[in-house]
Amino acid sequence: MPDDEKTIQGTIVPDSEEKKAFIKGLLDNHQAARPLPDGSLPPGATHEIVGEGENGLPIVKRKRFSAY
């Protein structure tokens, strides 16, 4: 995803078809999740769900990279 489609903080808002597809892919692959009570992400998650877009899809922010 091009850098100009992200905010400075790395948050991805589902406001275009490309970003909607990207976020749906994260969800389908269990790579986007809400943080656990201790603030960490579940195993395998690379993006934190930080809110919800107008279309019901989550707003996500990259927190780490996967190594597979």
Side-chain angles (χ1 to χ4, degrees), residues 20-66:
K20 288 177 191 175
F22 179 75
I23 292 171
K24 286 178 183 178
L26 290 174
L27 295 170
D28 289 345
N29 293 307
H30 307 285
Q31 292 179 316
R34 295 201 181 274
L36 299 171
D38 67 0
S40 67
L41 287 177
T46 56
H47 290 71
E48 177 181 351
I49 296 173
V50 296
E52 188 174 297
E54 293 178 3
N55 55 12
L57 286 173
I59 298 169
V60 298
K61 183 173 183 176
R62 178 179 287 284
K63 289 294 187 175
R64 61 183 177 206
F65 293 87
S66 68

